[in-house]
Amino acid sequence: MVHWSAEEKQLIAGLWGRLSAEQCGAEALARLLIVYPWTQRFFDNFGNLSSPTAIVGNPKVRAHGRKVLTSFGEAIKNLDNLKGTFSKLSELHCDKLHVDPENFRLLGDILVTVLASHLGRDFSPACQFAWHKLVGVVAHALALNTP
Amino acid sequence: MVLNPNDKSNVKAVFGKIGGQAEEYGAETLERMFAAYPQTKTYFPHFDLGKGSAQVKGHGKKVAAALVEAANNIDDIAGALSKLSDLHAQKLRVDPVNFKLLGQCFLVVVASHNPSLLTPEVHASLDKFLCAVGTVLTAKYR
């Protein structure tokens, strides 16, 4: 089980309170699809992904991004049981959607840059460490059902 | 991963905007890398890695200068960084995975200082550029 120090928990929860899951989620997913275009392979049914402008404005991207970040919110409330929290999502992503776990890591990296752009100096190196740890642990939990 | 004309102009614009702050960005990149990815500290046992370390600042300046040099010679990054590529292959032998970590931290620094500069398109171009630099520096490893 992952150990979270009091400081890490505080850095994570403190920042989370200042963010809009909707806005950050939409932005993170859009950037994932723009910066690493091969990730679009999982979103054939999302409609127009033909350009960065199309991706950023795509309502399905925004909606899915929001969903993704909302589940991060769940993770933050259950830091001591991420495996349990993500068990159904892991089944979905691995058994049904067949997502290479590398994609969870890519999204995690993108999310960290989005947080930095929203929080500026407040996104200290210590915050970056805590959030990088969080995205890594979430990625791991999601990948547990991978073959 | 090939840099197209848009990528090249995006990258040049970023470094043009960063200008004289490149050294500061370099130092902060390293500071963040050591904090977020502690395993990277293993390459610097001879450094004081404490906050405000002069050695980290000095090294950050070098790293930034190399990135600026690559951006200024973006049509021939391999040529511009050839000596550094030799150095990394023969002497430093930093595992290739670490260049991605450094690149990620540089992106975080740019994002936190200049959020409006790092549009999704510029983010993509800069990420490609940083990958290209990492590829050049590890090209002669084997």
Side-chain angles (χ1 to χ4, degrees):
Chain A
M1 209 185 73
V2 180
H3 170 74
W4 299 94
S5 74
E7 198 208 348
E8 286 164 358
K9 287 187 181 183
Q10 211 286 308
L11 287 170
I12 289 168
L15 247 53
W16 183 250
R18 298 173 49 185
L19 301 169
S20 151
E22 171 155 3
Q23 200 194 339
C24 286
E27 200 181 324
L29 188 62
R31 281 180 187 256
L32 178 75
L33 299 173
I34 293 165
V35 177
Y36 307 114
W38 54 92
T39 58
Q40 293 171 23
R41 70 191 296 286
F42 299 106
F43 300 98
D44 277 342
N45 63 337
F46 266 34
N48 186 7
L49 298 179
S50 59
S51 70
T53 313
I55 292 171
V56 166
N58 184 308
K60 285 189 174 179
V61 170
R62 303 195 70 83
H64 194 67
R66 183 175 63 231
K67 235 198 229 180
V68 168
L69 256 275
T70 302
S71 75
F72 257 89
E74 280 310 297
I76 290 168
K77 285 191 237 162
N78 294 281
L79 285 178
D80 295 321
N81 180 24
L82 286 174
K83 188 171 159 189
T85 306
F86 282 95
S87 141
K88 284 219 152 42
L89 275 177
S90 178
E91 266 178 50
L92 174 68
H93 283 79
C94 301
D95 302 340
K96 200 161 165 253
L97 303 173
H98 308 294
V99 179
D100 176 351
E102 180 59 21
N103 292 283
F104 309 137
R105 285 183 269 283
L106 289 179
L107 180 63
D109 280 352
I110 293 272
L111 181 60
V112 165
T113 62
V114 169
L115 294 178
S117 71
H118 282 255
L119 297 162
R121 304 298 179 115
D122 287 351
F123 195 63
S124 66
C127 283
Q128 187 179 346
F129 174 83
W131 274 85
H132 172 73
K133 182 173 166 180
L134 176 64
V135 300
V137 174
V138 168
H140 177 78
L142 275 174
L144 281 173
N145 281 49
T146 308
Chain B
M1 218 126 11
V2 171
L3 297 173
N4 62 41
N6 267 356
D7 292 324
K8 292 179 186 183
S9 87
N10 283 342
V11 170
K12 281 178 180 297
V14 167
F15 280 89
K17 194 82 203 296
I18 292 173
Q21 291 180 286
E23 289 179 7
E24 197 192 304
Y25 280 34
E28 193 182 326
T29 296
L30 289 181
E31 191 198 338
R32 284 184 180 277
M33 188 182 73
F34 295 138
Y37 308 105
Q39 69 273 22
T40 56
K41 295 195 283 189
T42 58
Y43 292 96
F44 298 91
H46 52 301
F47 266 29
D48 160 28
L49 297 178
K51 195 151 168 63
S53 155
Q55 284 177 306
V56 172
K57 283 201 169 90
H59 197 66
K61 197 169 151 179
K62 271 192 208 170
V63 169
L67 290 177
V68 167
E69 184 68 8
N72 288 340
N73 294 278
I74 205 161
D75 289 322
D76 182 19
I77 298 177
L81 299 187
S82 172
K83 285 209 161 50
L84 266 182
S85 178
D86 290 338
L87 179 70
H88 282 78
Q90 292 155 18
K91 191 157 172 265
L92 303 176
R93 291 166 294 181
V94 172
D95 190 285
V97 72
N98 295 286
F99 296 97
K100 275 197 210 169
L101 306 183
L102 181 80
Q104 167 70 0
C105 290
F106 185 76
L107 280 171
V108 169
V109 171
V110 174
S112 69
H113 285 257
N114 294 277
S116 55
L117 182 62
L118 203 72
T119 63
E121 294 93 325
V122 169
H123 184 158
S125 299
L126 195 55
D127 191 83
K128 282 170 79 174
F129 168 75
L130 293 165
C131 277
V133 169
T135 300
V136 162
L137 291 178
T138 56
K140 302 174 196 176
Y141 272 34
R142 54 179 174 172

